[in-house]
Amino acid sequence: MELWDIYDESRVKTGKTMERGSSFKEGEYHLVVHVCIFKSSGEMLIQQRQPFKKGWSNMWDITVGGSATTGDTSQKAAERELFEEIGYVFDFSQVRPHLTINFGVGFDDYYLIEADVEIDKLKLQYDEVQQVKWATKDEIIQMLEDGVFIPYYKNLIGLLFEMRKSYSAHSQ
């Protein structure tokens, strides 16, 4: 059983929790994190979800993502998801998300990190991840068009590639 902290619309923890899969009440939200690893050459590490995984089965996705569990900060959730899904250790304690996107019942924090990860040394979580590979922005856009990548907005994928070295919404 996975428990999530419940937040209000201002992203303040309410002190309540909910079980994953439960219905949200009006004004209840939860926290989700995504981590995108970029190679110094500019490619993003992407993963293919297992065919038996609920939701987006067999589809390609950004490096890792998942819900924060009770007691997690955004940074701790990012560390945990990165380690659980691909076996990679990264210290997020001094890192802020590059962007947060509000969605119907929560907040999506996106972390963009650069690391020349050797994918053959990663330990993929069998329950979640089928395989990983490096991909360029154009390759991911093509995968979106082919319907084999989770249907993120193309502009979001472009933004992730653009923002990977900056915390600014400006190009300079």
Side-chain angles (χ1 to χ4, degrees), residues 72-165:
D72 278 348
T73 61
S74 176
Q75 289 83 355
K76 282 294 179 195
E79 283 180 16
R80 180 180 42 75
E81 288 293 334
L82 191 59
F83 182 72
E84 283 179 0
E85 290 190 18
I86 64 170
Y88 189 72
V89 176
F90 188 86
D91 180 6
F92 285 88
S93 63
Q94 302 300 312
V95 179
R96 295 180 298 147
H98 275 73
L99 66 134
T100 298
I101 298 175
N102 295 313
F103 67 99
V105 292
F107 312 96
D108 266 328
D109 282 350
Y110 284 82
Y111 292 88
L112 312 177
I113 60 175
E114 188 171 298
D116 288 324
V117 174
E118 295 178 53
I119 60 176
D120 58 331
K121 294 190 177 168
L122 296 175
K123 186 176 183 217
L124 308 182
Q125 183 182 25
Y126 176 76
D127 293 343
E128 301 265 344
V129 183
Q130 191 176 152
Q131 64 178 319
V132 294
K133 69 178 183 177
W134 293 104
T136 64
K137 178 178 76 171
D138 290 340
E139 288 169 331
I140 294 172
I141 298 298
Q142 185 61 56
M143 293 170 84
L144 282 164
E145 290 173 357
D146 293 343
V148 297
F149 205 93
I150 289 177
Y152 295 100
Y153 290 110
K154 291 177 192 174
N155 289 338
L156 174 62
I157 298 299
L159 183 62
L160 297 174
F161 275 85
E162 289 292 324
M163 290 186 72
R164 69 188 173 90
K165 291 186 179 261

Side-chain angles (χ1 to χ4, degrees), residues 22-46:
S22 299
S23 297
F24 289 89
K25 296 177 184 157
E26 183 73 29
E28 291 184 340
Y29 304 91
H30 80 295
L31 176 62
V32 176
V33 296
H34 300 276
V35 180
C36 300
I37 297 179
F38 291 90
K39 229 186 206 185
S40 57
S41 62
E43 297 169 288
M44 184 194 295
L45 185 63
I46 61 174

Side-chain angles (χ1 to χ4, degrees), residues 14-25:
T14 64
K16 299 179 200 170
T17 61
M18 70 180 297
E19 188 176 327
R20 180 186 191 118
S22 299
S23 297
F24 289 89
K25 296 177 184 157

